[in-house]
Amino acid sequence: MATTVNIIVGSHVWVEDRDTAWVDGEVTKVNGEKIEVQTTSGKKVVANLSNVYPKDTEAPPAGVDDMTKLSYLHEPGVLQNLATRYELNEIYTYTGNILIAVNPFRRLPHLYDTHMMEQYKGATFGELSPHVFAVADAAYRAMINEGKSNSILVSGESGAGKTETTKMLMRYLAYMGGRAATEGRTVEQQVLESNPVLEAFGNAKTVRNNNSSRFGKFVELQFDKTGRISGAAVRTYLLERSRVCQLSDPERNYHCFYLLCAAPPEDIKRYKLGNPKSFHYLNQTNCYELDGVSDAEEYLNTRKAMDIVGISPEEQDSIFRVVAAILHLGNINFTKGKEVDSSMPKDDKSRFHLEMAAELLMCNVQGLENALCKRVMVTREETIIKSLDPDAATTNRDALAKTIYSRMFDWIVEKINNSIGQDPDSKNLIGVLDIYGFESFKANSFEQFCINFTNEKLQQHFNQHVFKMEQEEYTKEEINWSYIEFVDNQDVLDLIEKKPGGIIALLDEACMFPKSTHETFTQKLYQTFNNHKRFSKPKLSRTDFTIVHYAGLFPPLPEESSKSSKFSSIGTRFKQQLQSLMETLSSTEPHYIRCVKPNNILKPAIFENQNVIQQLRCGGVLEAIRISCAGYPTRRTFDEFLDRFGLLAPEVLEGNYDEMTACEKLLEKKGLKGFQIGKTKVFLRAGQMAELDARRAEVISNAAKVIQRQIRTYIARKEFVALRKAATHLQTLWRGKLARKLYEEIKREAAAIKIQKNVRGYHARKTYTKLRLSAIVVQAALRAMAARNEFRFRKQTKAAIIIQAQWRGHRSYSYYKSMKRAGLSVQCAWRSKVARKELRKLKMAARETGALKEAKDKLEKKVEELTWRLQLEKRLRTDLEEAKAQDIAKLQLSLQAMQVQLDEANATLVKEREAARKAIEDAPPVIKEMPVVVVDTEKVDLLTNENEELKTLLKSQEKRADEAERKCAEVQELSEERLKKMEEAESKIDQLQESFQRLEEKLSNLESENQVLRQQALVMSPTKGLSGRSKTAVIQDLQSPVPALKDAAEAEQRPQKALNDRQQENQDALIKCIMQDIGFSGGRPVAASIIYKSLFHWRSFEAERTNVFDRIIQIIGSAIEENNDVLAYWLSNTSTLLLLLQRTLKASGAAGMTPQRRRSSSATLFGRMAQGFRTSPSGTGLSFSNGGMIGGLDALRQIEAKYPALLFKQQLTAYVEKIYGMIRDNLKKEISPLLGLCIQAPRTSRASLVRGSARSHANAAAQQALIGHWQSIVKSLSNFLKTLRANYVPPFLVRKVYTQIFSFINVQLFNSLLLRRECCSFSNGEYVKAGLAELEHWCYEATEEYVGTAWDELKHIRQAVGFLVIHQKPKKSLDEITHDLCPVLSIQQLYRISTMYWDDKYGTHSVAPDVIASMRVLMTEDSNNALSNSFLLDDDSSIPFSVDDISKSMNQIDLSEIEPPPLIRQNSAFNFLLPRAE
């Protein structure tokens, strides 16, 4: 409905165009009812104001996904929206709850994979992007929730993609309601597998489609109470029978004819077939083959499909015999017979084809000929046989061929239904109707008449449904509405089907009379419907008539269409089928899919407006729009309406009104009438949106003028200020130049004086410097000569010393090396001789068990002897060291005493000399001088002699000290030599001990072999004799004492039974303990510790049979529940226990072998290297009884585990993975509902943000509430981390959990962003970016130890959000986007974000069109890769670690100081768990 108001100069409008249907342009002149429009193509068009539609200039560049959201809901707006979306590969668009599917003519596998089905599973209709899966899901959910059957009506013209759409619907319904097959195939698989068979016999090439369905198909999927598919049925309607006999170029007949002609040679020979060109029913066109399709391969595929659907080989042969017979029937030509108005086969060729047809149909040749050439009329009195002329016989032949083919097709459908099976107890079903659209050709047959009649009925059903939806929308919004008129085609339906008096009824009546002709039938129609507005008569025809129905004029029927008497039954039967179909559809809730073919050349990326608009008209889409326009075509939510038109009344926004009141006041202020205010939306009449937009454009225009005026004022003032500033600056520069010139003259005069002064000084300095340098050069030369002479002398002296030192060192070192080599050679030779002798002895001794035992005794004696010698050496060494220490102490004491005496003697001598000197000085001069001198001289001599004696004594003491030191050095050398011998003895003892252990191990292996042999000897039957190996001497010796061995075994079982009872009690105590939550000790799980220590102490890892592992696994399995605390507790314990097993156990070389195989295991590498605590009594010292493992797990040697222990390790690994997966999935379940709220920011209208200061606090609270959902996610993550840390879950596993959780967040947010256009906005990007900042802050606080690289998992959503909030998108090149901004995102993902982007905040645009075009080119080049085409991410739910990863990532665990729980501590059997007392 065009609007006649508010079209002014400058308005953007749509005008009709002959080539493109509609073209947009700008109004340049308005002259009454005529306007002049400058189109975007450059033309000037004059149009009527009533034929012009307004254009929405603010429509999103990528279109809208639901056309009810269009501001102007009219024909050009719908066409433009579809074209825009098709250009962006968005082939699906909603119109309310109607899905429009535009055929892309290319494969888009990413749109139909399993991951896409998972996205639409349970999603609200309209929440995600339009998709065929959304319609299927809505039908399935409605059936499950409401318990009512649903139907999906797929319509469109040939080539629009109806069949492919139906397949996708079936796939999704099979995905939702599929169940396991009882005999290998499910019901839905059988339905899908029936498609190739139906296509082979019901599809053909037409002008518009290479695989056009020439029949209507209604597939009923029956569901049980649980929503699972329980049965199915295929209903077919109106096969195009006329195609069997009549073709138009360049179409083909049904595929099966060409497939049979391309069959293997044996089949062609059997059916007497040949080239398709030789058959009349096939050579009416020049098209025999399809591009890219092999008829021979399709024949084999059809055969396989028939096998799958349950058609036996005999039945297949019958089907193809009928097909071949029809081809032979078509080649039967007739000529005039001998009688008047009779006919007969024309020639031998026709006779041959008649015989072949009779043979293939298994009937009499003459009977077939009579049936073709004669007509039998049965009356009450007699049977009349009438001959037919050649033309009538030909018509009879074609009628027979059509009837046979139709019956065969019906039989195939019935066979398929019987194979699939129906559920009689099913209460609900979902029907999928795949039926052709309106058809109109130059020559229309009865089939076209019935096709269009069917579509008229469906169109009436569609109109009623759309009208009902409109009423439901108005009722839901609680608005007042009046009756809305829509095009009702009931008069056309009455014209065709009404009884009596309808066209079909009149045709049936005419066919009852044998003399009826075309003329009589058409004359009857002319008389009956002469004044009917839907019926008209062509001027130049006597047998044609035209019906004006919904799709337009229906041209006249050809003459042959009503000639046959069969039409009464065909018309009535078809009418009954159609009535049954309409009753089925009326009893179900309908869903509509309108398929559209964008072009007639079947090529991608071509959108023909004229072709599409015609299909939209015929498909009822525009009628649905007209119904909407008759009511309230424009509907806007309150916030959207205020955001767009709030500027028309700012005072309303500033007032304290709610959104509903504000919208009402705004509309009343603008004087609009007839609008309605619903509960959540504003409903506007047709034209009111254009009026509001015109007023809005006027306000914006006035505002723009004000802005322009202010800008021009600003520019003028800016120019004036700049000019004034320039003049001032010029004056300043000129005055500065004059001042600089004066300053330059003064500066030059001062510079000249300064230069003269400096030049004179320079000459004086130059002369002085030259003289000074000459003196320095002479002095330097003399000093250098003296220094060089001194250096030369010192260099020669040093060189001579170095040469002497090197030579002496070389001579000594050469002598030392020769002596050392000689000593080593002698030692090696001697040791080799001794070792070879010892080796020969050991080899001799190791040949038999007795020798081994003797060697063992000898080695034990030798070890004892060496131990005794070692102890003796230690005692001798200790005594020697003590004696040496005593001698040294005595010598040191005597030396100290002598030193003291010497010091005293020296002191006395000094004192005496001083006294003598003083006495001589103090004595007076006397006559008796000589005696005094003599006396003093004697004293001096005496003292001198004493001094000499003391020196002699000192020398003797020094000699004694030197001798003592020498003896001490000798003793020390002797001690060191003995120490070396002792170390050699110790190393030899170690070697002997190792040899002893190896021999003892070999002995134990031999004993185990002997025990196995004894057991075999016990169980062997004495009547079977001896075989192979049992004939050896060892087995013969073992067979004799069988009774004695049995007695010994019984005697050994008694203490063994008591030991087993005690072990069972200990196991019960352990199981009872670990069933309780015994917590942690120092961050280490107590349960894992006591389990490992107990199993280690009991040597359960080495046991061939034990049930303790199964009991532990059962306890773990029964303790697991959905509680996260319990899961975290057991994850900590199981991972720790698995770590201990991984680092302690090793696979046994004989594990899992049979006893016969295990006999030879001791000779293998693992048998020779076998180690364990059973080899020596000292092995028990490594158990936990005395607090072993203080040094951690590295202090233990690995245990050779048996099969039960290895199985226990595998089961424990499975439980670690299971518990990890449960914890991860629990967290996913908790945050999944929040993620749906976090991807889209809550809508806040502009009105709520600008209503004055009174709302400032409320706005702040609203802004705080925006981030509340993200904070809830952060809270959940923190609570989980708190639980995991409280249970001491290894940080490695915590990091893996959060890495996968963040990957899940990334996948969910990113996929939702790509599937929901409302999320790809600027404001939404800011909202998600703020939420991601909350997550980043949480990762920082949680530390890298527990979070690891989880933040990096959000790379897709981070880069996508970063791209959304960029302001200058049009300036970014493709290279910048793909390499700098979004290197992680694929081209498909960037393309989808770029095309879906819209800015609801600042009005910014997406990337440049050339960038979009480049993306499309890259996508087309890579379109064959299904993985690269997929733009959605997959969630990885696998286990991201292995046992080796756990072993490498977790630290050593010290189990020595873990306190056992009281229940275990009180049991004396568990004393080995108690910590070791220091």
Side-chain angles (χ1 to χ4, degrees), residues 246-253 258 277 280-288:
Q246 293 178 352
L247 295 176
S248 58
D249 201 21
E251 297 187 350
R252 291 206 321 172
N253 213 319
Y258 303 92
K277 297 180 180 179
H280 172 68
Y281 285 164
L282 303 182
N283 61 14
Q284 298 176 34
T285 73
N286 295 320
C287 180
Y288 300 98

Side-chain angles (χ1 to χ4, degrees), residues 135 199 209-210 262 336 366 395 477 590 621 637 642 696 703 922 952 997 1084 1104 1120 1123 1181 1207 1273 1329 1475:
V135 177
E199 288 180 2
N209 187 6
N210 288 344
K336 290 184 179 181
Q366 188 61 42
T395 302
E477 290 290 330
V621 176
T637 58
L642 292 176
R696 179 173 177 268
D922 295 341
T952 303
Q997 289 179 357
R1084 296 161 295 183
E1104 294 285 353
I1120 294 175
N1123 189 344
L1207 180 60
I1273 291 180
K1329 187 175 182 181

Side-chain angles (χ1 to χ4, degrees), residues 1020-1027 1030-1031 1039:
M1020 285 176 64
S1021 173
T1023 61
K1024 291 183 179 179
L1026 300 177
S1027 62
S1030 63
K1031 293 182 180 180
Q1039 282 181 345

Side-chain angles (χ1 to χ4, degrees), residues 1053-1071:
Q1053 286 178 357
R1054 287 191 291 272
Q1056 183 67 29
K1057 185 176 181 181
L1059 179 62
N1060 291 340
D1061 293 339
R1062 288 198 303 273
Q1063 188 174 5
Q1064 186 67 26
E1065 292 176 359
N1066 295 338
Q1067 291 180 8
D1068 292 340
L1070 175 64
I1071 296 300

Side-chain angles (χ1 to χ4, degrees), residues 591-839:
H591 304 267
Y592 290 93
I593 299 178
R594 296 304 197 210
C595 297
V596 175
K597 183 171 65 174
N599 59 77
N600 287 325
I601 60 176
L602 312 183
K603 298 293 183 181
I606 299 176
F607 192 89
E608 298 175 354
N609 289 357
Q610 291 285 10
N611 186 26
V612 173
I613 203 68
Q614 179 64 25
Q615 293 178 65
L616 293 178
R617 290 169 181 165
C618 295
V621 176
L622 297 182
E623 176 61 21
I625 293 172
R626 201 207 65 78
I627 292 174
S628 297
C629 290
Y632 301 95
T634 304
R635 303 150 196 192
R636 286 288 181 273
T637 58
F638 295 142
D639 55 348
E640 292 177 352
F641 184 79
L642 292 176
D643 284 343
R644 180 159 182 165
F645 299 112
L647 54 84
L648 295 179
E651 64 278 4
V652 174
L653 296 181
E654 293 174 359
N656 192 9
Y657 304 115
D658 58 15
E659 292 180 338
M660 181 186 295
T661 307
C663 292
E664 188 172 3
K665 287 187 174 296
L666 190 150
L667 290 168
E668 290 176 352
K669 183 177 180 180
K670 294 304 168 182
L672 296 182
K673 303 295 182 182
F675 64 87
Q676 292 283 347
I677 302 295
K679 295 173 64 177
T680 61
K681 298 178 182 177
V682 176
F683 291 81
L684 301 178
R685 287 283 190 183
Q688 291 183 340
M689 188 72 175
E691 184 175 350
L692 288 175
D693 269 340
R695 297 186 184 183
R696 179 173 177 268
E698 185 178 354
V699 171
I700 294 176
S701 176
N702 293 335
K705 292 176 183 177
V706 173
I707 294 173
Q708 290 173 356
R709 184 168 63 248
Q710 294 294 331
I711 289 295
R712 289 173 183 146
T713 302
Y714 169 76
I715 292 173
R717 176 166 178 78
K718 186 177 179 181
E719 291 177 352
F720 166 72
V721 171
L723 186 62
R724 186 177 63 181
K725 187 176 180 180
T728 306
H729 185 62
L730 185 62
Q731 293 173 357
T732 303
L733 291 176
W734 181 250
R735 290 171 184 150
K737 183 177 180 180
L738 293 178
R740 282 193 297 275
K741 187 175 181 181
L742 178 62
Y743 171 75
E744 189 69 26
E745 293 178 355
I746 298 173
K747 187 178 178 182
R748 282 190 176 187
E749 184 178 353
I753 298 171
K754 194 169 184 180
I755 289 171
Q756 294 173 1
K757 178 180 68 175
N758 288 330
V759 168
R760 294 189 185 106
Y762 168 74
H763 286 297
R765 282 194 301 276
K766 187 175 180 181
T767 304
Y768 166 75
T769 303
K770 186 175 181 182
L771 182 62
R772 181 171 174 271
L773 287 175
S774 300
I776 291 173
V777 168
V778 173
Q779 293 175 0
L782 293 175
R783 289 170 184 163
M785 184 175 65
R788 281 193 293 273
N789 292 335
E790 180 66 21
F791 171 72
R792 192 179 298 111
F793 173 74
R794 290 185 181 181
K795 187 175 180 182
Q796 290 176 354
T797 303
K798 186 176 180 181
I801 294 171
I802 290 172
I803 290 171
Q804 292 172 359
Q806 292 291 334
W807 167 247
R808 289 168 187 156
H810 172 70
R811 185 175 59 190
S812 300
Y813 182 67
S814 299
Y815 177 73
Y816 165 73
K817 286 182 67 176
S818 61
M819 292 302 291
K820 182 178 179 182
R821 281 196 297 272
L824 289 174
S825 299
V826 173
Q827 290 174 0
C828 290
W830 176 252
R831 288 170 184 163
S832 299
K833 182 178 180 182
V834 173
R836 283 193 295 273
K837 187 182 293 183
E838 188 66 24
L839 179 61

Side-chain angles (χ1 to χ4, degrees), residues 966-1023:
R966 182 177 57 77
K967 289 181 178 181
C968 180
E970 292 176 355
V971 171
Q972 190 171 359
E973 291 177 359
L974 181 61
S975 175
E976 291 178 354
E977 185 177 354
R978 289 178 177 176
L979 181 61
K980 289 181 180 179
K981 290 181 179 181
M982 184 175 65
E983 290 177 352
E984 291 177 358
E986 288 179 351
S987 64
K988 195 170 184 181
I989 289 171
D990 294 337
Q991 294 176 359
L992 291 173
Q993 283 181 346
E994 292 178 0
S995 301
F996 174 70
Q997 289 179 357
R998 287 197 297 272
L999 293 173
E1000 190 175 29
E1001 181 183 352
K1002 193 169 185 179
L1003 178 61
S1004 64
N1005 290 333
L1006 291 173
E1007 289 176 353
S1008 63
E1009 286 187 7
N1010 291 335
Q1011 185 176 0
V1012 172
L1013 291 173
R1014 287 194 204 100
Q1015 292 175 356
Q1016 288 181 348
L1018 287 173
V1019 299
M1020 285 176 64
S1021 173
T1023 61

Side-chain angles (χ1 to χ4, degrees), residues 1428-1444:
S1428 64
N1429 272 328
S1430 180
F1431 55 80
L1432 298 181
L1433 302 179
D1434 291 327
D1435 182 28
D1436 183 11
S1437 297
S1438 61
I1439 302 299
F1441 57 84
S1442 62
V1443 181
D1444 292 333

